[in-house]
Amino acid sequence: MFDLKAHLKTLTETHAPSGHEAPIREVLRFEWADLVDTMEMDKLGSLIGVKRATQPVDPPRKIMLAAHMDEIGMMVRKVQDGFIFVHRISGVDNRILPAQPVLVHGRRALPGLVSTVPPHLLGGAQNRYLSFDELVIDVGLPAAEVEELVRIGDLITPDAPMIELQGSRLAGKAMDDRACVAAVTACLVELQSLHHRWDVYAAATVQEETGLLGAATAAYHIKPDVAIALDVGFAPQPGVDADVSREMNGGPALGIGPNFHPGLVDKLRETAKREEIKMQEEIIPGASGTDAWAIQVALQGIPTALFSIPLRNMHSPVETVDLRDIQRAGRLLAHFIADLDADFMAAIDWPDLKTDGS
């Protein structure tokens, strides 16, 4: 029996920042082994699980599911007097770093704490957020030992196990975007009991946080007919405008806007209604900033859609999701895929432009 919560815990507690995704890739090789027929990897490192159609159409069709497996993190830029100075990898928020427990991935894993100057000694500076240059990591070892164990470029990640909150709410690091990787896994599990006519390419992409890089190369590798990207979106919390947030336990949010093919959006709406799966909609009038943005313009253009899982505390070690939204996203994807037929591409094709002046 598939345990989605346990699966998500495994994914989020694996340490794998952008450009260094090997640990989470190996976890997924194991987790997906019985759910797909083959696995591939593109040259940038994205893992692609392929589940072949149970009732293939002619010509064969491919759908790509894309969720990024990298996470934000830091790396060592200097070691001085036993303290470690850092650079961010992508979107680490310096406002929340002080006193945070971390792991320094040196010649062995070193637990440490982000340290700062005591507020008594800051003068008038205690009312501002400290910059990265003012933050250091203390691993509690003598300076000579730190110099021996830690090198410039070593990785640093939050030391943050997944926390079970009330009900079905879960918090932890790397929910962005491992919650969506878990939704893809849930989809593959659901497909085990469904017939489908299209080949499914489940892509755990790399380096999304550094520029949507893995999605671009994976799309070229797969050459899908259509694609659905999954990422997290903002959930309501103080300071977050209602216009840009979607309710937790409201189901995944379907993106509406120029990044997303209207025919694909309509079909997903129909599936959600038919299967009675809760789903929300989110207006995104420009760049979505997700893997969908890179996939849409790959090759000659790929009809693309986006599902977002509502999440609080984005880019922090306590990113919070509702497990039910992940379950719904996986189930909705599976039933959408099971409903695709040989005529779907013709049904969503753009109308021919008239050239006779009529």
Side-chain angles (χ1 to χ4, degrees), residues 290-355:
T290 70
D291 280 351
W293 190 242
I295 295 169
Q296 181 193 29
V297 294
L299 301 163
Q300 294 173 314
I302 298 169
T304 302
L306 172 69
F307 273 138
S308 299
I309 301 293
L311 174 142
R312 290 178 181 157
N313 312 315
M314 194 177 291
H315 282 199
S316 82
V318 289
E319 294 177 329
T320 304
V321 297
D322 193 307
L323 192 65
R324 292 168 292 186
D325 291 326
I326 301 171
Q327 291 169 327
R328 291 184 182 107
R331 183 165 169 257
L332 182 51
L333 286 171
H335 284 276
F336 172 81
I337 291 166
D339 199 41
L340 294 173
D341 57 24
D343 300 325
F344 181 69
M345 291 307 297
I348 67 167
D349 200 9
W350 303 108
D352 290 337
L353 295 175
K354 294 182 178 180
T355 57

Side-chain angles (χ1 to χ4, degrees), residues 5 20-21 65 68 70 72 85 143 150 173 203 206 215 222 242-243 279 281 283 329 340:
K5 185 193 298 183
H20 304 272
E21 294 90 354
L65 307 178
H68 70 89
D70 60 318
I72 60 174
F85 294 77
V150 180
K173 75 172 188 67
V206 299
I222 296 167
D243 288 342
M279 188 188 77
E281 296 186 357
I283 301 300
L340 294 173

Side-chain angles (χ1 to χ4, degrees), residues 60-350:
R61 295 294 189 184
K62 303 176 185 178
I63 180 170
M64 175 185 183
L65 307 178
H68 70 89
M69 61 179 168
D70 60 318
E71 64 181 301
I72 60 174
M74 297 177 286
M75 61 171 49
V76 176
R77 67 176 173 88
K78 182 172 68 173
V79 178
Q80 181 177 318
D81 300 326
F83 293 98
I84 298 167
F85 294 77
V86 301
H87 277 307
R88 63 160 60 98
I89 300 175
S90 57
V92 176
D93 187 349
N94 57 291
R95 298 175 306 163
I96 62 170
L97 281 177
Q100 188 180 128
V102 296
L103 279 179
V104 179
H105 301 272
R107 298 191 180 184
R108 59 179 171 87
L110 300 171
L113 292 170
V114 180
S115 178
T116 65
V117 177
H120 318 68
L121 306 178
L122 283 174
Q126 68 265 38
N127 294 322
R128 65 173 177 83
Y129 294 114
L130 298 175
S131 70
F132 264 85
D133 290 340
E134 297 171 284
L135 298 172
V136 295
I137 292 173
D138 183 1
V139 295
L141 293 174
E145 195 168 350
V146 178
E147 292 276 357
E148 181 181 340
L149 293 173
V150 180
R151 294 165 291 184
I152 291 174
D154 282 345
L155 301 176
I156 303 159
T157 52
D159 189 6
M162 191 178 80
I163 303 167
E164 295 191 31
L165 302 175
Q166 299 300 302
S168 53
R169 302 287 168 87
L170 304 167
K173 75 172 188 67
M175 292 290 183
D176 177 6
D177 193 33
R178 312 266 171 83
C180 292
V181 176
V184 172
T185 306
C187 169
L188 294 173
V189 171
E190 186 87 7
L191 283 173
Q192 303 306 303
S193 59
L194 297 173
H195 291 294
H196 55 99
R197 303 171 186 86
W198 286 37
D199 294 333
V200 180
Y201 285 71
T205 62
V206 299
Q207 296 197 51
E208 188 270 354
E209 297 288 0
T210 55
L212 316 178
L213 305 182
T217 59
Y220 274 84
H221 179 90
I222 296 167
K223 300 179 176 63
D225 295 283
V226 301
I228 301 175
L230 295 93
D231 212 323
V232 295
F234 300 113
Q237 65 184 88
V240 176
D241 194 306
D243 288 342
V244 299
S245 63
R246 292 299 176 268
E247 293 294 331
M248 300 176 75
N249 191 32
L254 177 64
I256 312 294
N259 190 184
F260 319 115
H261 194 290
L264 200 50
V265 167
D266 286 343
K267 184 70 171 178
L268 286 162
R269 283 176 171 146
E270 291 172 12
T271 304
K273 183 177 181 180
R274 183 185 69 245
E275 299 298 326
E276 298 182 343
I277 300 172
K278 288 174 72 173
M279 188 188 77
Q280 307 174 80
E281 296 186 357
E282 179 180 13
I283 301 300
I284 304 176
S288 67
T290 70
D291 280 351
W293 190 242
I295 295 169
Q296 181 193 29
V297 294
L299 301 163
Q300 294 173 314
I302 298 169
T304 302
L306 172 69
F307 273 138
S308 299
I309 301 293
L311 174 142
R312 290 178 181 157
N313 312 315
M314 194 177 291
H315 282 199
S316 82
V318 289
E319 294 177 329
T320 304
V321 297
D322 193 307
L323 192 65
R324 292 168 292 186
D325 291 326
I326 301 171
Q327 291 169 327
R328 291 184 182 107
R331 183 165 169 257
L332 182 51
L333 286 171
H335 284 276
F336 172 81
I337 291 166
D339 199 41
L340 294 173
D341 57 24
D343 300 325
F344 181 69
M345 291 307 297
I348 67 167
D349 200 9
W350 303 108

